């Protein structure tokens, strides 16, 4: 009887130990599964954020531009080269309207181009011509994206006789060009690199003058 009780006690302890081991294993497995699930959720969130950033970079907008003086079809050919790769432009001849679909950041550029191109037709009164002149000089400061464009304009309205010449100026531009020459390797050393560099600054000033001579074609 004593041996039998001893064997029963040993078997009961072994049973309890194996049961606790299974529960701990299940608990550990559940914890690992939870961690794995949490990791998948984090990846999904990162993917959603990345896709959101891509959508913001390629965000498009469609705007209608009413043309007052010129023909929408004529302006369409002039504006098409400024569209991005996926941009579109349509001309509605019935309402004389341009429909532009492109990146939102470029809409301001299109509005400025249309304003400069949509001008009144010259009016003729006997030997005199009434002109609305608005010269514009545009230069690219940075290719971007989006590109940064520097625009200078001047606007005036004059009454001039047929065959006479008038001049319009004021489109002044000043540029500062900085040139740095340096000794290879030594010129890139922090703190003392400036000792091996030569820096020159050149300034240029330009004034554009536009000469116009109108002629009445009879």
């Amino acid at each position: 009887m004593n041996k039998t009780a001893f064997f029963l006690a040993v078997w009961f302890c072994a049973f309890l130990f194996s049961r606790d081991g299974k529960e701990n294993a299940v608990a550990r497995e559940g914890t690992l599964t939870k961690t794995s699930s949490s990791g998948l959720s984090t990846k999904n969130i990162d993917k959603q954020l990345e896709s959101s950033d891509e959508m913001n970079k390629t965000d498009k907008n469609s705007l209608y531009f009413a043309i007052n003086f010129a023909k929408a079809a004529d302006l369409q050919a002039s504006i098409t080269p400024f569209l991005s790769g996926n941009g579109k432009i349509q001309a509605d001849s019935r309402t004389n309207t341009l429909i532009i679909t492109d990146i939102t950041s470029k809409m301001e550029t299109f509005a400025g181009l249309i304003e400069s191109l949509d001008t009144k037709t010259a009016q003729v009164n006997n030997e005199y011509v009434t002109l609305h002149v608005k010269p514009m000089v545009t230069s690219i400061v940075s290719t971007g994206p989006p590109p940064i464009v520097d625009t200078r304009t001047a606007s005036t309205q004059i009454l001039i006789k047929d065959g006479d010449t008038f001049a319009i100026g004021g489109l002044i531009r000043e540029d500062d060009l900085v040139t740095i020459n340096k000794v290879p390797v030594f010129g890139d050393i922090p703190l003392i690199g400036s000792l091996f560099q030569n820096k020159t600054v050149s300034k240029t000033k330009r004034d554009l003058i536009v000469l116009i001579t109108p002629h009445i074609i009879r």
Side-chain angles (χ1 to χ4, degrees):
M1 289 296 292
N2 291 334
K3 291 182 179 181
T4 301
F6 176 77
F7 284 119
L8 288 175
V10 172
W11 177 83
F12 182 74
C13 291
F15 174 76
L16 291 178
F17 179 80
S18 62
R19 181 180 178 184
D20 292 338
K22 289 181 179 181
E23 290 178 354
N24 293 332
V26 172
R28 288 194 299 271
E29 183 178 359
T31 303
L32 291 175
T33 303
K34 182 178 180 180
T35 304
S36 176
S37 175
S38 176
L40 291 174
S41 300
T42 304
K43 291 181 180 179
N44 291 334
I45 293 174
D46 292 339
K47 290 181 179 180
Q48 291 177 0
L49 292 175
E50 292 177 357
S51 62
S52 177
D53 292 340
E54 293 296 329
M55 290 179 63
N56 291 333
K57 292 180 181 178
T58 59
D59 184 23
K60 288 186 177 181
N61 191 14
S62 296
L63 290 181
Y64 291 77
F65 296 91
I67 310 303
N68 298 317
F69 307 108
K71 292 183 179 180
D74 296 338
L75 298 186
Q76 180 181 7
S78 300
I79 297 176
T80 298
F82 294 91
L83 296 172
S84 63
N86 297 325
K88 296 181 180 179
I89 182 172
Q90 297 178 349
D92 188 350
S93 58
R94 184 177 61 86
T95 59
N96 201 33
T97 303
L98 285 178
I99 307 170
I100 301 178
T101 302
D102 208 331
I103 302 173
T104 304
S105 59
K106 300 194 68 173
M107 289 302 172
E108 186 176 351
T109 302
F110 296 140
L113 289 173
I114 293 173
E115 182 182 357
S116 62
L117 296 174
D118 186 21
T119 57
K120 295 181 179 179
T121 305
Q123 299 177 2
V124 179
N125 184 11
N126 294 329
E127 296 295 327
Y128 291 87
V129 181
T130 302
L131 298 177
H132 178 73
V133 183
K134 188 177 182 180
M136 178 178 63
V137 179
T138 303
S139 59
I140 299 177
V141 178
S142 174
T143 57
I148 300 175
V149 180
D150 179 23
T151 303
R152 292 166 293 145
T153 60
S155 179
T156 185
Q157 184 170 346
I158 64 168
L159 177 65
I160 187 172
K161 189 177 181 180
D162 177 27
D164 288 349
T165 301
F166 77 95
I168 179 173
L171 299 176
I172 301 174
R173 176 178 177 179
E174 295 183 359
D175 296 327
D176 293 339
L177 179 61
V178 179
T179 305
I180 299 177
N181 298 318
K182 60 183 178 180
V183 179
V185 180
F186 294 98
D188 297 326
I189 299 176
L191 300 179
I192 64 172
S194 58
L195 299 176
F196 301 93
Q197 297 179 359
N198 181 25
K199 181 179 179 181
T200 59
V201 180
S202 60
K203 296 184 178 181
T204 58
K205 184 177 181 180
R206 303 173 185 176
D207 187 2
L208 178 64
I209 299 177
V210 181
L211 301 175
I212 300 177
T213 304
H215 294 280
I216 300 175
I217 301 176
R218 294 180 172 84

